[in-house]
Amino acid sequence: MLANYYAMLGRRRETLHHLRQALSLHPNHAECSFWAAVVYNQLGERAIALSWLEKAVAGGYSPAEVGAAIELDNLREDPKFQALIRPK
């Protein structure tokens, strides 16, 4: 969450530092992958954000939660995003 807050402040160096720490502690945790996507999206890294969302959903994160996340509103029209939240 600290990485998310730094991203909101536009402090990229601190954002990436805290994100790397979190991901090194929990590399396969679906919720961490989701928050990595949110953080990268806030940094303007759309492709990286979508990759982390794919990992989050593949790891068991709820597609409905992804679809409801207001932090990802700018991705809604992206075909990759649509495929992630589409019911299987």
Side-chain angles (χ1 to χ4, degrees), residues 65-87:
E65 290 290 323
V66 171
I70 60 172
E71 299 92 345
L72 304 172
D73 280 350
N74 65 307
L75 301 177
R76 297 209 183 281
E77 300 303 317
D78 190 290
K80 286 184 180 182
F81 185 86
Q82 289 294 319
L84 286 171
I85 63 171
R86 189 175 303 123

Side-chain angles (χ1 to χ4, degrees), residues 10-68:
R11 294 173 62 180
R12 186 178 183 88
R13 187 176 61 78
E14 293 94 337
T15 298
L16 294 175
H17 170 76
H18 289 288
L19 182 58
R20 286 183 192 116
Q21 276 189 318
L23 292 171
S24 71
L25 293 171
H26 306 286
N28 297 313
H29 192 270
E31 188 167 350
C32 282
S33 296
F34 169 78
W35 284 106
V38 169
V39 167
Y40 276 112
N41 187 50
Q42 288 180 6
L43 293 176
E45 301 284 350
R46 181 185 196 100
I48 298 171
L50 287 165
S51 292
W52 280 106
L53 282 177
E54 287 175 331
K55 184 173 181 175
V57 171
Y61 200 83
S62 166
E65 290 290 323
V66 171

